[in-house]
Amino acid sequence: MVIPRLSQASLQAAVAALHAGEVVAFPTETVYGLGADASNPAAVQRIYQLKGRPTSHPLIVHVGDITQLPQWTRDLSPAAIHLATAFWPGPLTLVLRRDAAVNTVVTGGQDTVAVRVPSHPVAQQLLKAFGGGIAAPSANRFGHVSPTCVEHVREEFGDDVAIVLDGAGCEIGLESTIVSCVGEVPQLLRPGAITLSQLRAVVPEVTSVVDPNAPRAPGMLARHYSPHTPLKVVTRGDLEMLINQGRQRGGNLAVLATYLPPNTLEGIAWINAGTRPDAYARNLYANIRTLDKARASVILVEDVPHEEGWMAVRDRLRRAAASE
Ligand code: TXA
Ligand code: MG
């Protein structure tokens, strides 16, 4: 694999923009982030404006390495230190007590702050050259599908974001695992590539507030990661039934499945995303974006296995399917 790196000129332009209070989109190993100087409240405010995101939704502060933690946090628990040491740099975000100096624009007014050390070489280059923390949510409009390449960021923001750093794609493709370390025991808040078992191998007490298999009232599901076309998750049996119904009615259908279509199906945009959870996750948002352009009345997604390795994918599919 080619390791993406920024030229000195792009790096300097990005760092200068951050110092000037501008936003810069940059790749991480999970998804693209829309970054601003985390210690500049006006710059951080600009992220919320661009995304159309409520200011009560806190952002993640990205830092270059673990030694910067004390600048942002206080009262670190041994569990937090163990998790950070084990998984950073990498796709893990820790929610920690914030240092008094951290501005409340980043934290959405909370007494806690989310921190992550990304491993993507371009993110690392940028953070090391900038020196400070970069506040960054995923680089998409509020509630929409996260971006995993430069073209996706352009689709979301056009010329509103002047600098979009190219990182040759995101290896993981889904947002980081989030663990809160502020309560009695660490709690998994958002599933990601680092699984509950991997977390528990380091800190056995980690609990999960995320149960992707538990039925929930639709109102409790925040609509998120959503395409414009309605998306439905269905069993393989229902998928085939719905395709037959759809063909009788006419009109286009879009399908995301783990297998090839049985035969050529006119009017159906079909993506076979395969049966490996890591590859499925890496391509998920690009696949949803492609199917969203198929002028279909609905995107039908074949349900994925109820296994730990699929937990993050299941979580994102449920949210993409939620109607509110
Ligand atoms: O992989 C990722 O985490 C990507 C890349 C760019 O790092 N970022 C990302 O950011 O997904 P965003 O803003 O789309 O999602 C961050 C999540 C939000 O759900 C937010 O509520 C939660 O982190 N969060 C941030 N600060 C928090 C805090 N203090 N307490 C609880 N949750 C927090
Ligand atoms: Mg997001």
Side-chain angles (χ1 to χ4, degrees):
M1 195 186 115
V2 182
I3 296 176
R5 288 194 72 77
L6 294 176
S7 67
Q8 274 309 309
S10 326
L11 186 59
Q12 276 166 13
V15 169
L18 289 172
H19 282 304
E22 289 164 26
V23 299
V24 170
F26 66 100
T28 82
E29 69 280 20
T30 59
V31 300
Y32 267 73
L34 188 63
D37 179 353
S39 58
N40 177 343
V44 177
Q45 201 71 52
R46 181 104 185 92
I47 297 177
Y48 288 99
Q49 279 163 8
L50 275 167
K51 269 191 76 110
R53 170 162 164 150
T55 48
S56 55
H57 286 220
L59 306 180
I60 297 172
V61 176
H62 299 69
V63 296
D65 62 59
I66 195 170
T67 63
Q68 293 183 41
L69 253 190
Q71 292 171 34
W72 300 93
T73 64
R74 62 185 161 84
D75 306 335
L76 282 176
S77 64
I81 293 167
H82 287 140
L83 291 172
T85 310
F87 296 109
W88 283 352
L92 176 70
T93 296
L94 295 177
V95 173
L96 304 160
R97 288 191 200 292
R98 74 174 173 89
D99 184 84
V102 180
N103 75 74
T104 52
V105 183
V106 172
T107 63
Q110 312 237 17
D111 197 35
T112 53
V113 62
V115 187
R116 160 163 132 77
V117 178
S119 64
H120 192 293
V122 170
Q124 273 290 325
Q125 250 186 307
L126 181 67
L127 285 162
K128 291 272 157 66
F130 179 60
I134 299 179
S138 50
N140 52 278
R141 305 268 180 193
F142 183 59
H144 196 220
V145 182
S146 295
T148 51
C149 64
V150 169
E151 290 70 29
H152 296 167
V153 180
R154 289 279 175 231
E155 274 176 20
E156 295 290 320
F157 296 107
D159 294 334
D160 289 352
V161 177
I163 300 184
V164 183
L165 301 175
D166 197 349
C170 303
E171 208 179 332
I172 289 169
L174 297 182
E175 303 77 1
S176 58
T177 302
I178 303 184
V179 177
S180 167
C181 292
V182 296
E184 289 266 299
V185 289
Q187 268 194 333
L188 175 66
L189 299 182
R190 179 173 73 183
I194 296 172
T195 63
L196 191 56
S197 304
Q198 286 174 300
L199 296 166
R200 284 181 176 157
V202 178
V203 176
E205 302 77 47
V206 179
T207 60
S208 174
V209 293
V210 198
D211 180 356
N213 302 325
R216 285 195 224 169
M220 288 182 64
L221 274 178
R223 184 175 161 87
H224 216 129
Y225 315 112
S226 300
H228 302 291
T229 315
L231 182 149
K232 265 193 199 163
V233 181
V234 298
T235 62
R236 185 160 172 169
D238 283 353
L239 176 62
E240 284 164 19
M241 189 192 71
L242 288 163
I243 289 170
N244 286 331
Q245 280 177 5
R247 294 173 83 187
Q248 283 159 21
R249 272 205 296 269
N252 292 345
L253 281 180
V255 175
L256 183 60
T258 61
Y259 61 103
L260 283 168
N263 38 47
T264 325
L265 301 167
E266 221 172 291
I268 300 190
W270 184 295
I271 294 179
N272 168 19
T275 54
R276 284 187 40 191
D278 53 348
Y280 189 108
R282 184 179 311 127
N283 299 318
L284 178 62
Y285 291 142
N287 287 341
I288 289 180
R289 281 172 184 270
T290 302
L291 295 175
D292 204 13
K293 295 182 186 112
R295 297 174 200 278
S297 51
V298 61
I299 299 173
L300 298 172
V301 181
E302 178 197 353
D303 200 3
V304 295
H306 288 243
E307 289 162 15
E308 187 178 47
W310 288 91
M311 190 171 172
V313 168
R314 291 183 71 77
D315 172 76
R316 302 312 188 273
L317 287 177
R318 279 163 54 95
R319 290 169 192 267
S323 57
E324 53 186 90

